[in-house]
Amino acid sequence: MKDYLKHASFGKGSRAVVSFESKPEQDPSIKGMYYSKNIWVRPEESRAQQLKTIIHEMAHYYSENVFRIARRDAETIAESVAFTIGAHYGFDTGTRSFPYVALWSQDKKVLEANLAAIRKVSVKIFEALETIQNHMAGVV
């Protein structure tokens, strides 16, 4: 799965490169980052954390590049999307997600104002993951 995700498609004609290279100079609290259609994920993290981080960074890709959502809302949206997708597939990200969203949204109104964007980005990622699953299963 990790090899496939290195060049995962994020929609028609769009691609991002996922890197798992070690960056010991990076603050250990940073699990990953999205920049210029590139996603970096800390390789030292557990597979579950890596997957959650990829989803979070994919949400940045869609929020910022596809839907052009304001950067000030990006972290609230990205982490909420990671929680939503994780919950759908049966893994709990709440331990990290709830405090992270609270930190970035700072007010319940910010989260409420972004619910439509969270839904829109979640749907896009569900569609992308379904495409990946079909590709891996040989269904085209």
Side-chain angles (χ1 to χ4, degrees):
M1 180 71 136
K2 187 186 268 189
D3 288 334
Y4 183 76
L5 287 172
K6 285 182 181 176
H7 299 284
S9 174
F10 294 93
K12 291 182 180 177
S14 299
R15 297 186 71 74
V17 176
V18 180
S19 166
F20 293 89
E21 71 184 70
S22 185
K23 294 186 178 188
E25 73 283 359
Q26 193 65 261
D27 178 342
S29 68
I30 298 173
K31 307 299 182 192
M33 67 179 70
Y34 168 76
Y35 56 96
S36 305
K37 294 190 179 183
N38 290 286
I39 293 173
W40 170 75
V41 178
R42 184 174 297 286
E44 298 84 8
E45 294 297 327
S46 69
R47 295 276 184 185
Q49 180 61 52
Q50 288 177 350
L51 180 58
K52 185 247 182 217
T53 300
I54 289 171
I55 294 167
H56 174 103
E57 303 307 338
M58 283 173 65
H60 276 295
Y61 170 82
Y62 282 113
S63 296
E64 297 168 35
N65 286 8
V66 176
F67 297 120
R68 305 280 189 229
I69 296 168
R71 178 73 180 134
R72 70 181 179 276
D73 296 323
E75 291 300 333
T76 298
I77 294 166
E79 194 62 25
S80 297
V81 167
F83 175 79
T84 301
I85 302 288
H88 175 79
Y89 286 104
F91 63 94
D92 181 19
T93 68
T95 302
R96 280 191 57 88
S97 294
F98 295 143
Y100 195 86
V101 169
L103 173 73
W104 282 95
S105 63
Q106 301 211 349
D107 186 324
K108 185 173 121 178
K109 291 177 184 176
V110 173
L111 182 59
E112 289 171 348
N114 284 297
L115 289 176
I118 292 165
R119 182 183 184 286
K120 188 186 318 187
V121 173
S122 294
V123 166
K124 279 294 195 186
I125 292 176
F126 279 127
E127 290 170 353
L129 290 172
E130 185 176 296
T131 299
I132 291 169
Q133 288 172 325
N134 289 341
H135 179 79
M136 291 179 71
V139 178
V140 181

mmCIF file of all heavy atoms in Angstrom, residues 22-68:
data_model
loop_
_atom_site.group_PDB
_atom_site.id
_atom_site.type_symbol
_atom_site.label_atom_id
_atom_site.label_comp_id
_atom_site.label_asym_id
_atom_site.label_seq_id
_atom_site.Cartn_x
_atom_site.Cartn_y
_atom_site.Cartn_z
ATOM 1 N N SER A 22 13.023 9.942 5.825
ATOM 2 C CA SER A 22 13.315 10.360 7.188
ATOM 3 C C SER A 22 13.816 11.802 7.183
ATOM 4 O O SER A 22 14.617 12.197 6.345
ATOM 5 C CB SER A 22 14.371 9.443 7.797
ATOM 6 O OG SER A 22 14.576 9.773 9.137
ATOM 7 N N LYS A 23 13.309 12.605 8.104
ATOM 8 C CA LYS A 23 13.737 13.999 8.266
ATOM 9 C C LYS A 23 14.002 14.237 9.746
ATOM 10 O O LYS A 23 13.172 14.812 10.448
ATOM 11 C CB LYS A 23 12.670 14.959 7.741
ATOM 12 C CG LYS A 23 12.463 14.881 6.248
ATOM 13 C CD LYS A 23 11.516 15.958 5.779
ATOM 14 C CE LYS A 23 11.367 15.887 4.266
ATOM 15 N NZ LYS A 23 10.619 17.008 3.748
ATOM 16 N N PRO A 24 15.159 13.790 10.234
ATOM 17 C CA PRO A 24 15.439 13.906 11.674
ATOM 18 C C PRO A 24 15.467 15.342 12.187
ATOM 19 O O PRO A 24 15.253 15.577 13.373
ATOM 20 C CB PRO A 24 16.802 13.233 11.832
ATOM 21 C CG PRO A 24 17.343 13.050 10.480
ATOM 22 C CD PRO A 24 16.230 13.174 9.493
ATOM 23 N N GLU A 25 15.674 16.313 11.284
ATOM 24 C CA GLU A 25 15.709 17.718 11.709
ATOM 25 C C GLU A 25 14.302 18.269 11.968
ATOM 26 O O GLU A 25 14.145 19.304 12.604
ATOM 27 C CB GLU A 25 16.421 18.580 10.647
ATOM 28 C CG GLU A 25 15.623 18.817 9.369
ATOM 29 C CD GLU A 25 15.560 17.648 8.380
ATOM 30 O OE1 GLU A 25 16.149 16.586 8.620
ATOM 31 O OE2 GLU A 25 14.889 17.811 7.339
ATOM 32 N N GLN A 26 13.280 17.563 11.490
ATOM 33 C CA GLN A 26 11.896 18.014 11.638
ATOM 34 C C GLN A 26 11.418 17.788 13.077
ATOM 35 O O GLN A 26 11.704 16.760 13.677
ATOM 36 C CB GLN A 26 11.021 17.235 10.660
ATOM 37 C CG GLN A 26 9.638 17.772 10.475
ATOM 38 C CD GLN A 26 9.608 19.134 9.843
ATOM 39 O OE1 GLN A 26 9.477 20.122 10.556
ATOM 40 N NE2 GLN A 26 9.739 19.209 8.539
ATOM 41 N N ASP A 27 10.711 18.751 13.617
ATOM 42 C CA ASP A 27 10.128 18.642 14.957
ATOM 43 C C ASP A 27 9.346 17.324 15.046
ATOM 44 O O ASP A 27 8.479 17.061 14.217
ATOM 45 C CB ASP A 27 9.191 19.835 15.175
ATOM 46 C CG ASP A 27 8.489 19.828 16.511
ATOM 47 O OD1 ASP A 27 8.421 18.770 17.177
ATOM 48 O OD2 ASP A 27 7.990 20.894 16.893
ATOM 49 N N PRO A 28 9.636 16.465 16.037
ATOM 50 C CA PRO A 28 8.978 15.160 16.136
ATOM 51 C C PRO A 28 7.466 15.223 16.328
ATOM 52 O O PRO A 28 6.771 14.249 16.070
ATOM 53 C CB PRO A 28 9.638 14.487 17.335
ATOM 54 C CG PRO A 28 10.633 15.420 17.874
ATOM 55 C CD PRO A 28 10.629 16.673 17.070
ATOM 56 N N SER A 29 6.950 16.365 16.752
ATOM 57 C CA SER A 29 5.495 16.472 16.907
ATOM 58 C C SER A 29 4.797 16.636 15.561
ATOM 59 O O SER A 29 3.594 16.445 15.456
ATOM 60 C CB SER A 29 5.133 17.639 17.835
ATOM 61 O OG SER A 29 5.449 18.874 17.226
ATOM 62 N N ILE A 30 5.554 16.969 14.517
ATOM 63 C CA ILE A 30 4.985 17.105 13.175
ATOM 64 C C ILE A 30 4.970 15.728 12.534
ATOM 65 O O ILE A 30 6.008 15.116 12.309
ATOM 66 C CB ILE A 30 5.786 18.114 12.328
ATOM 67 C CG1 ILE A 30 5.713 19.490 12.975
ATOM 68 C CG2 ILE A 30 5.267 18.142 10.892
ATOM 69 C CD1 ILE A 30 6.609 20.525 12.326
ATOM 70 N N LYS A 31 3.773 15.239 12.250
ATOM 71 C CA LYS A 31 3.603 13.889 11.712
ATOM 72 C C LYS A 31 3.672 13.860 10.195
ATOM 73 O O LYS A 31 3.900 12.827 9.587
ATOM 74 C CB LYS A 31 2.266 13.296 12.168
ATOM 75 C CG LYS A 31 2.034 13.334 13.659
ATOM 76 C CD LYS A 31 3.070 12.555 14.411
ATOM 77 C CE LYS A 31 2.771 12.577 15.895
ATOM 78 N NZ LYS A 31 3.891 12.089 16.674
ATOM 79 N N GLY A 32 3.438 15.002 9.559
ATOM 80 C CA GLY A 32 3.465 15.090 8.110
ATOM 81 C C GLY A 32 3.147 16.496 7.677
ATOM 82 O O GLY A 32 2.847 17.361 8.506
ATOM 83 N N MET A 33 3.235 16.733 6.357
ATOM 84 C CA MET A 33 2.892 18.055 5.835
ATOM 85 C C MET A 33 2.565 17.980 4.349
ATOM 86 O O MET A 33 3.001 17.070 3.655
ATOM 87 C CB MET A 33 4.002 19.066 6.093
ATOM 88 C CG MET A 33 5.282 18.802 5.332
ATOM 89 S SD MET A 33 6.564 20.032 5.630
ATOM 90 C CE MET A 33 6.995 19.660 7.296
ATOM 91 N N TYR A 34 1.788 18.948 3.923
ATOM 92 C CA TYR A 34 1.425 19.096 2.518
ATOM 93 C C TYR A 34 2.043 20.389 2.003
ATOM 94 O O TYR A 34 1.953 21.423 2.657
ATOM 95 C CB TYR A 34 -0.100 19.161 2.364
ATOM 96 C CG TYR A 34 -0.509 19.602 0.983
ATOM 97 C CD1 TYR A 34 -0.425 18.719 -0.080
ATOM 98 C CD2 TYR A 34 -0.916 20.906 0.737
ATOM 99 C CE1 TYR A 34 -0.749 19.127 -1.364
ATOM 100 C CE2 TYR A 34 -1.252 21.312 -0.533
ATOM 101 C CZ TYR A 34 -1.162 20.418 -1.581
ATOM 102 O OH TYR A 34 -1.477 20.817 -2.843
ATOM 103 N N TYR A 35 2.687 20.315 0.834
ATOM 104 C CA TYR A 35 3.262 21.505 0.221
ATOM 105 C C TYR A 35 3.400 21.258 -1.273
ATOM 106 O O TYR A 35 3.875 20.213 -1.701
ATOM 107 C CB TYR A 35 4.625 21.860 0.850
ATOM 108 C CG TYR A 35 5.628 20.731 0.797
ATOM 109 C CD1 TYR A 35 6.571 20.652 -0.221
ATOM 110 C CD2 TYR A 35 5.604 19.707 1.738
ATOM 111 C CE1 TYR A 35 7.467 19.589 -0.287
ATOM 112 C CE2 TYR A 35 6.490 18.654 1.678
ATOM 113 C CZ TYR A 35 7.419 18.599 0.662
ATOM 114 O OH TYR A 35 8.285 17.544 0.590
ATOM 115 N N SER A 36 2.925 22.182 -2.080
ATOM 116 C CA SER A 36 3.092 22.151 -3.545
ATOM 117 C C SER A 36 2.830 20.780 -4.156
ATOM 118 O O SER A 36 3.658 20.244 -4.885
ATOM 119 C CB SER A 36 4.497 22.600 -3.931
ATOM 120 O OG SER A 36 4.773 23.851 -3.399
ATOM 121 N N LYS A 37 1.683 20.207 -3.884
ATOM 122 C CA LYS A 37 1.297 18.893 -4.399
ATOM 123 C C LYS A 37 2.236 17.780 -3.951
ATOM 124 O O LYS A 37 2.395 16.763 -4.617
ATOM 125 C CB LYS A 37 1.150 18.906 -5.922
ATOM 126 C CG LYS A 37 0.005 19.778 -6.399
ATOM 127 C CD LYS A 37 -0.259 19.585 -7.857
ATOM 128 C CE LYS A 37 -1.423 20.452 -8.281
ATOM 129 N NZ LYS A 37 -1.780 20.266 -9.661
ATOM 130 N N ASN A 38 2.874 17.972 -2.814
ATOM 131 C CA ASN A 38 3.716 16.954 -2.193
ATOM 132 C C ASN A 38 3.212 16.710 -0.782
ATOM 133 O O ASN A 38 2.810 17.644 -0.094
ATOM 134 C CB ASN A 38 5.176 17.420 -2.116
ATOM 135 C CG ASN A 38 5.815 17.482 -3.474
ATOM 136 O OD1 ASN A 38 6.129 16.462 -4.062
ATOM 137 N ND2 ASN A 38 5.985 18.691 -3.987
ATOM 138 N N ILE A 39 3.246 15.453 -0.390
ATOM 139 C CA ILE A 39 2.871 15.076 0.968
ATOM 140 C C ILE A 39 4.061 14.352 1.576
ATOM 141 O O ILE A 39 4.594 13.412 0.983
ATOM 142 C CB ILE A 39 1.621 14.177 0.978
ATOM 143 C CG1 ILE A 39 0.406 14.969 0.512
ATOM 144 C CG2 ILE A 39 1.386 13.582 2.373
ATOM 145 C CD1 ILE A 39 -0.842 14.138 0.329
ATOM 146 N N TRP A 40 4.482 14.814 2.741
ATOM 147 C CA TRP A 40 5.528 14.131 3.478
ATOM 148 C C TRP A 40 4.900 13.524 4.725
ATOM 149 O O TRP A 40 4.123 14.178 5.415
ATOM 150 C CB TRP A 40 6.646 15.096 3.883
ATOM 151 C CG TRP A 40 7.609 14.470 4.834
ATOM 152 C CD1 TRP A 40 8.575 13.541 4.527
ATOM 153 C CD2 TRP A 40 7.687 14.665 6.243
ATOM 154 N NE1 TRP A 40 9.248 13.160 5.665
ATOM 155 C CE2 TRP A 40 8.723 13.841 6.738
ATOM 156 C CE3 TRP A 40 6.980 15.459 7.141
ATOM 157 C CZ2 TRP A 40 9.067 13.792 8.070
ATOM 158 C CZ3 TRP A 40 7.331 15.411 8.483
ATOM 159 C CH2 TRP A 40 8.367 14.583 8.935
ATOM 160 N N VAL A 41 5.242 12.244 4.986
ATOM 161 C CA VAL A 41 4.750 11.530 6.154
ATOM 162 C C VAL A 41 5.956 10.987 6.917
ATOM 163 O O VAL A 41 6.847 10.374 6.324
ATOM 164 C CB VAL A 41 3.818 10.365 5.745
ATOM 165 C CG1 VAL A 41 3.336 9.598 6.964
ATOM 166 C CG2 VAL A 41 2.638 10.882 4.936
ATOM 167 N N ARG A 42 5.958 11.214 8.223
ATOM 168 C CA ARG A 42 7.067 10.746 9.064
ATOM 169 C C ARG A 42 7.104 9.211 9.044
ATOM 170 O O ARG A 42 6.154 8.560 9.465
ATOM 171 C CB ARG A 42 6.885 11.250 10.491
ATOM 172 C CG ARG A 42 8.042 10.883 11.409
ATOM 173 C CD ARG A 42 7.915 11.526 12.779
ATOM 174 N NE ARG A 42 7.954 12.983 12.731
ATOM 175 C CZ ARG A 42 9.053 13.712 12.509
ATOM 176 N NH1 ARG A 42 10.198 13.119 12.307
ATOM 177 N NH2 ARG A 42 8.989 15.028 12.484
ATOM 178 N N PRO A 43 8.206 8.621 8.552
ATOM 179 C CA PRO A 43 8.275 7.156 8.435
ATOM 180 C C PRO A 43 8.386 6.427 9.765
ATOM 181 O O PRO A 43 8.061 5.240 9.846
ATOM 182 C CB PRO A 43 9.535 6.922 7.582
ATOM 183 C CG PRO A 43 10.384 8.119 7.832
ATOM 184 C CD PRO A 43 9.420 9.270 8.048
ATOM 185 N N GLU A 44 8.794 7.112 10.797
ATOM 186 C CA GLU A 44 8.963 6.480 12.102
ATOM 187 C C GLU A 44 7.637 6.237 12.830
ATOM 188 O O GLU A 44 7.599 5.546 13.837
ATOM 189 C CB GLU A 44 9.874 7.339 13.008
ATOM 190 C CG GLU A 44 11.276 7.521 12.480
ATOM 191 C CD GLU A 44 11.421 8.652 11.462
ATOM 192 O OE1 GLU A 44 10.460 9.426 11.248
ATOM 193 O OE2 GLU A 44 12.507 8.751 10.870
ATOM 194 N N GLU A 45 6.566 6.819 12.329
ATOM 195 C CA GLU A 45 5.252 6.662 12.967
ATOM 196 C C GLU A 45 4.658 5.288 12.641
ATOM 197 O O GLU A 45 5.036 4.646 11.671
ATOM 198 C CB GLU A 45 4.297 7.761 12.494
ATOM 199 C CG GLU A 45 4.693 9.142 12.923
ATOM 200 C CD GLU A 45 4.707 9.348 14.419
ATOM 201 O OE1 GLU A 45 3.887 8.725 15.132
ATOM 202 O OE2 GLU A 45 5.548 10.132 14.896
ATOM 203 N N SER A 46 3.690 4.884 13.448
ATOM 204 C CA SER A 46 2.983 3.618 13.195
ATOM 205 C C SER A 46 2.222 3.713 11.870
ATOM 206 O O SER A 46 1.943 4.813 11.388
ATOM 207 C CB SER A 46 1.992 3.339 14.329
ATOM 208 O OG SER A 46 0.927 4.275 14.277
ATOM 209 N N ARG A 47 1.883 2.570 11.315
ATOM 210 C CA ARG A 47 1.111 2.547 10.054
ATOM 211 C C ARG A 47 -0.214 3.290 10.225
ATOM 212 O O ARG A 47 -0.635 4.013 9.335
ATOM 213 C CB ARG A 47 0.846 1.113 9.599
ATOM 214 C CG ARG A 47 2.052 0.349 9.231
ATOM 215 C CD ARG A 47 2.446 0.635 7.840
ATOM 216 N NE ARG A 47 3.569 -0.224 7.510
ATOM 217 C CZ ARG A 47 4.212 -0.165 6.401
ATOM 218 N NH1 ARG A 47 3.859 0.696 5.491
ATOM 219 N NH2 ARG A 47 5.221 -0.950 6.168
ATOM 220 N N ALA A 48 -0.873 3.099 11.360
ATOM 221 C CA ALA A 48 -2.150 3.775 11.602
ATOM 222 C C ALA A 48 -1.968 5.289 11.596
ATOM 223 O O ALA A 48 -2.761 6.019 10.990
ATOM 224 C CB ALA A 48 -2.755 3.312 12.927
ATOM 225 N N GLN A 49 -0.909 5.778 12.248
ATOM 226 C CA GLN A 49 -0.646 7.218 12.272
ATOM 227 C C GLN A 49 -0.291 7.713 10.869
ATOM 228 O O GLN A 49 -0.705 8.789 10.457
ATOM 229 C CB GLN A 49 0.469 7.560 13.255
ATOM 230 C CG GLN A 49 0.781 9.049 13.332
ATOM 231 C CD GLN A 49 -0.394 9.887 13.788
ATOM 232 O OE1 GLN A 49 -0.995 9.603 14.817
ATOM 233 N NE2 GLN A 49 -0.731 10.936 13.046
ATOM 234 N N GLN A 50 0.477 6.932 10.123
ATOM 235 C CA GLN A 50 0.828 7.322 8.754
ATOM 236 C C GLN A 50 -0.427 7.447 7.887
ATOM 237 O O GLN A 50 -0.570 8.416 7.131
ATOM 238 C CB GLN A 50 1.795 6.313 8.129
ATOM 239 C CG GLN A 50 3.181 6.367 8.697
ATOM 240 C CD GLN A 50 4.085 5.303 8.098
ATOM 241 O OE1 GLN A 50 3.648 4.400 7.395
ATOM 242 N NE2 GLN A 50 5.375 5.417 8.385
ATOM 243 N N LEU A 51 -1.328 6.490 8.009
ATOM 244 C CA LEU A 51 -2.557 6.526 7.221
ATOM 245 C C LEU A 51 -3.396 7.742 7.587
ATOM 246 O O LEU A 51 -3.874 8.472 6.717
ATOM 247 C CB LEU A 51 -3.357 5.243 7.435
ATOM 248 C CG LEU A 51 -4.677 5.143 6.672
ATOM 249 C CD1 LEU A 51 -4.455 5.284 5.171
ATOM 250 C CD2 LEU A 51 -5.365 3.830 6.992
ATOM 251 N N LYS A 52 -3.541 8.007 8.877
ATOM 252 C CA LYS A 52 -4.299 9.170 9.325
ATOM 253 C C LYS A 52 -3.657 10.452 8.819
ATOM 254 O O LYS A 52 -4.331 11.375 8.369
ATOM 255 C CB LYS A 52 -4.389 9.158 10.856
ATOM 256 C CG LYS A 52 -5.247 10.253 11.411
ATOM 257 C CD LYS A 52 -4.290 11.137 12.140
ATOM 258 C CE LYS A 52 -4.923 12.281 12.811
ATOM 259 N NZ LYS A 52 -4.073 13.448 12.713
ATOM 260 N N THR A 53 -2.320 10.509 8.841
ATOM 261 C CA THR A 53 -1.601 11.691 8.362
ATOM 262 C C THR A 53 -1.807 11.882 6.862
ATOM 263 O O THR A 53 -2.030 13.013 6.408
ATOM 264 C CB THR A 53 -0.102 11.582 8.700
ATOM 265 O OG1 THR A 53 0.026 11.486 10.129
ATOM 266 C CG2 THR A 53 0.678 12.782 8.196
ATOM 267 N N ILE A 54 -1.753 10.805 6.099
ATOM 268 C CA ILE A 54 -1.990 10.913 4.650
ATOM 269 C C ILE A 54 -3.386 11.473 4.389
ATOM 270 O O ILE A 54 -3.556 12.354 3.546
ATOM 271 C CB ILE A 54 -1.794 9.554 3.946
ATOM 272 C CG1 ILE A 54 -0.312 9.197 3.929
ATOM 273 C CG2 ILE A 54 -2.357 9.585 2.529
ATOM 274 C CD1 ILE A 54 -0.016 7.784 3.466
ATOM 275 N N ILE A 55 -4.379 10.984 5.111
ATOM 276 C CA ILE A 55 -5.747 11.481 4.925
ATOM 277 C C ILE A 55 -5.812 12.966 5.283
ATOM 278 O O ILE A 55 -6.413 13.762 4.551
ATOM 279 C CB ILE A 55 -6.751 10.649 5.741
ATOM 280 C CG1 ILE A 55 -6.799 9.220 5.198
ATOM 281 C CG2 ILE A 55 -8.137 11.296 5.710
ATOM 282 C CD1 ILE A 55 -7.505 8.239 6.109
ATOM 283 N N HIS A 56 -5.194 13.346 6.390
ATOM 284 C CA HIS A 56 -5.164 14.751 6.804
ATOM 285 C C HIS A 56 -4.530 15.605 5.699
ATOM 286 O O HIS A 56 -5.069 16.651 5.316
ATOM 287 C CB HIS A 56 -4.364 14.871 8.107
ATOM 288 C CG HIS A 56 -4.134 16.265 8.573
ATOM 289 N ND1 HIS A 56 -4.853 16.828 9.600
ATOM 290 C CD2 HIS A 56 -3.255 17.215 8.163
ATOM 291 C CE1 HIS A 56 -4.431 18.067 9.795
ATOM 292 N NE2 HIS A 56 -3.448 18.328 8.945
ATOM 293 N N GLU A 57 -3.406 15.156 5.173
ATOM 294 C CA GLU A 57 -2.709 15.936 4.139
ATOM 295 C C GLU A 57 -3.468 15.916 2.808
ATOM 296 O O GLU A 57 -3.449 16.902 2.069
ATOM 297 C CB GLU A 57 -1.271 15.448 3.977
ATOM 298 C CG GLU A 57 -0.435 15.493 5.260
ATOM 299 C CD GLU A 57 -0.410 16.833 5.982
ATOM 300 O OE1 GLU A 57 -0.679 17.887 5.362
ATOM 301 O OE2 GLU A 57 -0.107 16.843 7.198
ATOM 302 N N MET A 58 -4.155 14.817 2.494
ATOM 303 C CA MET A 58 -5.012 14.792 1.311
ATOM 304 C C MET A 58 -6.113 15.847 1.445
ATOM 305 O O MET A 58 -6.494 16.499 0.465
ATOM 306 C CB MET A 58 -5.665 13.408 1.134
ATOM 307 C CG MET A 58 -4.757 12.349 0.572
ATOM 308 S SD MET A 58 -5.538 10.693 0.574
ATOM 309 C CE MET A 58 -6.900 10.900 -0.572
ATOM 310 N N ALA A 59 -6.624 15.998 2.660
ATOM 311 C CA ALA A 59 -7.658 17.005 2.901
ATOM 312 C C ALA A 59 -7.114 18.406 2.639
ATOM 313 O O ALA A 59 -7.827 19.264 2.110
ATOM 314 C CB ALA A 59 -8.199 16.885 4.325
ATOM 315 N N HIS A 60 -5.850 18.645 2.981
ATOM 316 C CA HIS A 60 -5.226 19.932 2.627
ATOM 317 C C HIS A 60 -5.186 20.098 1.113
ATOM 318 O O HIS A 60 -5.482 21.179 0.595
ATOM 319 C CB HIS A 60 -3.798 20.016 3.177
ATOM 320 C CG HIS A 60 -3.718 20.454 4.590
ATOM 321 N ND1 HIS A 60 -4.107 21.706 5.009
ATOM 322 C CD2 HIS A 60 -3.286 19.809 5.700
ATOM 323 C CE1 HIS A 60 -3.915 21.807 6.310
ATOM 324 N NE2 HIS A 60 -3.428 20.675 6.760
ATOM 325 N N TYR A 61 -4.812 19.046 0.410
ATOM 326 C CA TYR A 61 -4.754 19.103 -1.051
ATOM 327 C C TYR A 61 -6.110 19.542 -1.617
ATOM 328 O O TYR A 61 -6.184 20.482 -2.400
ATOM 329 C CB TYR A 61 -4.351 17.739 -1.623
ATOM 330 C CG TYR A 61 -4.520 17.674 -3.114
ATOM 331 C CD1 TYR A 61 -3.541 18.180 -3.968
ATOM 332 C CD2 TYR A 61 -5.671 17.145 -3.680
ATOM 333 C CE1 TYR A 61 -3.707 18.148 -5.335
ATOM 334 C CE2 TYR A 61 -5.841 17.110 -5.049
ATOM 335 C CZ TYR A 61 -4.860 17.612 -5.880
ATOM 336 O OH TYR A 61 -5.037 17.588 -7.237
ATOM 337 N N TYR A 62 -7.168 18.856 -1.206
ATOM 338 C CA TYR A 62 -8.498 19.197 -1.723
ATOM 339 C C TYR A 62 -8.957 20.571 -1.255
ATOM 340 O O TYR A 62 -9.499 21.348 -2.043
ATOM 341 C CB TYR A 62 -9.531 18.138 -1.325
ATOM 342 C CG TYR A 62 -9.452 16.913 -2.181
ATOM 343 C CD1 TYR A 62 -9.037 15.704 -1.657
ATOM 344 C CD2 TYR A 62 -9.779 16.958 -3.526
ATOM 345 C CE1 TYR A 62 -8.956 14.573 -2.450
ATOM 346 C CE2 TYR A 62 -9.697 15.836 -4.324
ATOM 347 C CZ TYR A 62 -9.291 14.644 -3.786
ATOM 348 O OH TYR A 62 -9.211 13.530 -4.579
ATOM 349 N N SER A 63 -8.758 20.887 0.009
ATOM 350 C CA SER A 63 -9.201 22.180 0.542
ATOM 351 C C SER A 63 -8.538 23.333 -0.190
ATOM 352 O O SER A 63 -9.202 24.281 -0.611
ATOM 353 C CB SER A 63 -8.876 22.290 2.035
ATOM 354 O OG SER A 63 -9.578 21.346 2.769
ATOM 355 N N GLU A 64 -7.228 23.241 -0.330
ATOM 356 C CA GLU A 64 -6.461 24.371 -0.858
ATOM 357 C C GLU A 64 -6.375 24.404 -2.375
ATOM 358 O O GLU A 64 -6.438 25.476 -2.972
ATOM 359 C CB GLU A 64 -5.061 24.352 -0.236
ATOM 360 C CG GLU A 64 -5.127 24.549 1.275
ATOM 361 C CD GLU A 64 -3.820 24.245 1.970
ATOM 362 O OE1 GLU A 64 -2.750 24.526 1.394
ATOM 363 O OE2 GLU A 64 -3.870 23.723 3.097
ATOM 364 N N ASN A 65 -6.234 23.256 -3.026
ATOM 365 C CA ASN A 65 -6.021 23.240 -4.483
ATOM 366 C C ASN A 65 -7.290 23.038 -5.288
ATOM 367 O O ASN A 65 -7.401 23.573 -6.378
ATOM 368 C CB ASN A 65 -5.023 22.152 -4.870
ATOM 369 C CG ASN A 65 -3.618 22.536 -4.492
ATOM 370 O OD1 ASN A 65 -3.404 23.527 -3.816
ATOM 371 N ND2 ASN A 65 -2.662 21.751 -4.919
ATOM 372 N N VAL A 66 -8.194 22.223 -4.801
ATOM 373 C CA VAL A 66 -9.389 21.897 -5.572
ATOM 374 C C VAL A 66 -10.526 22.865 -5.260
ATOM 375 O O VAL A 66 -11.116 23.458 -6.160
ATOM 376 C CB VAL A 66 -9.823 20.435 -5.336
ATOM 377 C CG1 VAL A 66 -11.117 20.120 -6.064
ATOM 378 C CG2 VAL A 66 -8.709 19.476 -5.774
ATOM 379 N N PHE A 67 -10.815 23.050 -3.979
ATOM 380 C CA PHE A 67 -11.958 23.880 -3.587
ATOM 381 C C PHE A 67 -11.578 25.314 -3.223
ATOM 382 O O PHE A 67 -12.449 26.139 -3.010
ATOM 383 C CB PHE A 67 -12.705 23.223 -2.421
ATOM 384 C CG PHE A 67 -13.286 21.885 -2.783
ATOM 385 C CD1 PHE A 67 -12.898 20.745 -2.100
ATOM 386 C CD2 PHE A 67 -14.206 21.753 -3.806
ATOM 387 C CE1 PHE A 67 -13.424 19.505 -2.426
ATOM 388 C CE2 PHE A 67 -14.735 20.532 -4.150
ATOM 389 C CZ PHE A 67 -14.341 19.390 -3.451
ATOM 390 N N ARG A 68 -10.295 25.603 -3.121
ATOM 391 C CA ARG A 68 -9.806 26.957 -2.811
ATOM 392 C C ARG A 68 -10.420 27.516 -1.530
ATOM 393 O O ARG A 68 -10.868 28.650 -1.463
ATOM 394 C CB ARG A 68 -10.080 27.909 -3.968
ATOM 395 C CG ARG A 68 -9.532 27.463 -5.289
ATOM 396 C CD ARG A 68 -8.062 27.774 -5.368
ATOM 397 N NE ARG A 68 -7.583 27.535 -6.732
ATOM 398 C CZ ARG A 68 -6.515 26.830 -7.004
ATOM 399 N NH1 ARG A 68 -5.804 26.311 -6.047
ATOM 400 N NH2 ARG A 68 -6.141 26.651 -8.245
#
